[in-house]
Each structure stands twice: as structure tokens, then as C-alpha cells.
Amino acid sequence: MTRPAPLSETARARCLPAAAAAVLLSGCVAGGTAAPLSRLVPGEYQVSVGGDAFWGDVRPGAPGIELTAGGARPVPGHEIRIRPYAGFSGLGGDAGALAKKAARLACQEAGGRFNETAIGAHDRAGAWIFRGGCA
């Protein structure tokens, strides 16, 4: 077995960026799934919308759904649960727009990116849940 000739300094300089890119890209894909691009930190975050305070609980959960021209599609990401901080017993079913604003802020506070297409749902406890809303 013969050894290949050593690369010149110029050849090494040209190969290094390609090799570094290959190593970096191999770290981005593991098991066929892309690595998260954000520095999302799950937890509870207090946010304020229009003078009203809310708790935004960002945590791993089941995928949400989004509606597209081709039908409903799954939305991967963390779940965001929005509930009032104090002053009222819960958010009504008609408070979806307000809850979405609070969810957007909670996701940003957690270091994530809010998915505007994730469908929110109201629960009986007076909270709004956006599954797959924060990535």
C-alpha cells in the first residue's frame, strides 16, 4: 500500500473549508432530524400584553397542527400554555388573539421562534394552548 503524496499548503487551505463545512453539517443532522436552530429554554415566563399579565409555560409536547391549502399538517415544536397571572380566573374562548400575543412573547422570552401558523385551542381550565407554537 502506497501513501498519497502530502498536500501543498495551497491545497490544504482549499480543502479545509470544505472539510469544516462537512463536519459542521454532520453535527446538524442526527438520525434524519434537523437539530434545533434556537436556544429554547423550556419553563414558565411572565409576559404582559396591554397591561394584563400572563404566565406562558413553554414545554415539550405533542406536535400541533397548521392549516394549509393542502390540508392540515403537523407542526413540530414546544407547546405554550397561556394563563392569566392574576386578576381573573381564566381566559375565555373568545380571547384567542390576546392569548396568541402572550404566547408569542413567552416563546421569545424562552429564546425560541413563535410559529404564527400553529392553531391555538382553549381548554376548560381557562388557558390557551398552542401546540408546536415555539421552536
Side-chain angles (χ1 to χ4, degrees):
M1 187 186 252
T2 61
R3 254 189 138 161
L7 291 174
S8 69
E9 290 297 317
T10 306
R12 269 189 259 161
R14 273 186 261 142
C15 291
L16 183 60
V23 168
L24 289 174
L25 288 175
S26 69
C28 290
V29 178
T33 60
L37 298 177
S38 68
R39 301 198 187 278
L40 182 65
V41 178
E44 282 197 330
Y45 297 89
Q46 184 181 354
V47 296
S48 179
V49 178
D52 294 322
F54 300 93
W55 279 114
D57 185 12
V58 179
R59 59 184 168 188
I65 60 167
E66 68 179 351
L67 300 178
T68 68
R73 289 188 343 184
V75 178
H78 282 61
E79 170 183 301
I80 309 168
R81 179 178 297 267
I82 300 296
R83 64 186 196 286
Y85 177 70
F88 37 147
S89 60
L91 289 167
D94 60 347
L98 178 63
K100 191 170 195 171
K101 289 177 185 176
R104 185 180 301 115
L105 291 173
C107 180
Q108 290 170 355
E109 287 291 318
R113 183 178 39 84
F114 185 68
N115 184 340
E116 298 288 339
T117 63
I119 302 294
H122 183 255
D123 73 1
R124 287 188 264 184
W128 273 84
I129 304 161
F130 296 86
R131 288 184 177 89
C134 193

